[in-house]
Amino acid sequence: MAKTPAGKSPPPRKSATKKPAAPKKAVGSVAPARKSAAKARAAQKKDVATDAPQLGLKERRQDFVNEFLVDLNATQAAIRAGYSPETAGQIGHELLKKPEIQLAISEARKSQQERTQITADRALREAWSIATADARELVELYVGACRYCHGEGHRYHRTLTEFNKARESWLEEGKDPAEFDEMGGIGFNPLAPPHHECPECAGAGWPRQVVKDTRRLSPAAAALYAGTKLTKDGLQIQMHSKLDALEKVFKHLGLYEQDNKQKADALASLLHTISGGNNSGFQPVADDPERTTKG
């Protein structure tokens, strides 16, 4: 430390100038919607990042794995991981082919399944339930007697309430009670079976749709049920597609090749079935000599 020469007083120290404090934000101010969305997305990324194990990948590739687990979109994952948007599609495609990336994604999915309890087996059981559910648990078509099946002389058949109402209206109009037309009498029951000699319906009966109580559905029917919709024609029962569910099961079992193509040529398979074990002498060949070849 330098000493002060004799007879001279030390120079005055400079006082530190304090910067003015930044104004405090008002308590309870509403954050912009963009910040809220950013926080939600950051939380989602953090949640996904806990699923993706660190397997020695470079930081950007690890970011790609984390981002890919968000929406399974390789191009968008590459962009969010910091790759150029112009080449993100190609880079994302190439990254997904790398064994270390595939391993990281596979391990991350296992972690997700353990955390969420959503497994391939559970998804397959749900699809199988939809494919094999009996739609008659949701809605049925009943065919019962028409109005003329069991009326006297196959004339119009009324219920007791209908009969009494019609008779009261007749009397209120001051008409002669003896002239009231009882038609086919009383006792109409829509649950009765159709009459095979009915001149009105020819024994076919009258169809009506019956909607079932969804509180008493089996697990398979509950999986098939997709809600109700009120239309101008009445209540409509909505169901998940059984064909779509079956297609998912078929794909899982390997019954289809990529792009939903059959593994075997359907025509060749049919011809082999026809010729097999029937002593017909018919033998299909791989190359058809009559097939025209396009040049």
Side-chain angles (χ1 to χ4, degrees):
M1 180 176 180
K3 295 182 179 180
T4 305
K8 291 185 178 181
S9 59
R13 294 182 179 181
K14 295 181 179 180
S15 58
T17 304
K18 293 184 179 180
K19 295 181 179 180
K24 295 183 179 180
K25 293 182 179 180
V27 178
S29 59
V30 180
R34 288 181 297 177
K35 291 186 177 181
S36 300
K39 287 183 179 179
R41 185 162 189 82
Q44 185 182 19
K45 288 183 179 180
K46 182 180 179 182
D47 196 26
V48 170
T50 59
D51 294 325
Q54 307 299 318
L55 299 178
L57 297 177
K58 293 181 180 180
E59 182 178 358
R60 184 174 292 186
R61 291 189 176 186
Q62 185 64 55
D63 290 342
F64 171 78
V65 172
N66 296 341
E67 294 290 350
F68 181 74
L69 292 173
V70 173
D71 53 11
L72 302 182
N73 187 314
T75 301
Q76 294 303 318
I79 294 174
R80 295 194 297 265
Y83 292 97
S84 171
E86 287 75 14
T87 58
Q90 180 181 355
I91 292 175
H93 178 71
E94 292 176 354
L95 287 175
L96 289 180
K97 294 191 295 183
K98 295 185 179 296
E100 63 272 20
I101 299 294
Q102 294 176 0
L103 177 60
I105 293 174
S106 176
E107 292 297 325
R109 283 180 170 176
K110 290 179 182 178
S111 299
Q112 280 184 331
Q113 290 177 2
E114 292 175 359
R115 180 172 57 83
T116 62
Q117 298 299 310
I118 300 175
T119 63
D121 290 344
R122 179 177 176 182
L124 180 60
R125 284 196 299 269
E126 185 75 6
W128 184 245
S129 295
I130 295 174
T132 58
D134 189 349
R136 292 175 297 181
E137 288 191 51
L138 300 177
V139 60
E140 281 190 312
L141 183 67
Y142 287 179
V143 179
C146 77
R147 287 285 185 168
Y148 300 88
C149 279
H150 302 289
E152 294 181 8
H154 291 298
R155 299 184 67 199
Y156 190 85
H157 207 188
R158 290 183 283 206
T159 64
L160 178 60
T161 301
E162 292 171 338
F163 182 89
N164 290 336
K165 186 176 180 179
R167 184 175 176 83
E168 289 175 4
S169 298
W170 180 272
L171 297 177
E172 287 176 358
E173 293 175 3
K175 297 180 180 179
D176 186 357
E179 296 181 0
F180 176 71
D181 187 1
E182 297 184 356
M183 298 185 177
I186 60 175
F188 172 71
N189 180 10
L191 300 179
H195 196 289
H196 65 282
E197 294 182 353
C198 176
E200 183 69 21
C201 69
W206 185 260
R208 62 190 180 96
Q209 183 174 281
V210 179
V211 178
K212 300 299 188 68
D213 191 340
T214 57
R215 296 174 298 176
R216 299 178 178 85
L217 299 179
S218 67
L224 178 64
Y225 178 61
T228 58
K229 182 179 180 181
L230 188 60
T231 68
K232 62 179 182 179
D233 298 321
L235 193 65
Q236 183 182 46
I237 302 299
Q238 297 180 310
M239 306 181 195
H240 295 294
S241 172
K242 292 168 70 70
L243 291 178
D244 289 349
L246 268 177
E247 184 176 352
K248 292 176 182 178
V249 174
F250 288 168
K251 287 182 178 179
H252 181 82
L253 296 177
L255 300 181
Y256 289 145
E257 285 185 337
Q258 291 182 354
D259 300 328
N260 206 26
K261 293 181 180 179
Q262 296 285 357
K263 283 186 174 181
D265 187 315
L267 179 58
S269 177
L270 176 61
L271 295 178
H272 280 287
T273 302
I274 295 173
S275 63
N278 59 4
N279 296 323
S280 64
F282 174 77
Q283 292 293 333
V285 295
D287 298 324
D288 185 357
E290 297 183 359
R291 178 183 297 173
T292 58
T293 305
K294 294 182 179 180

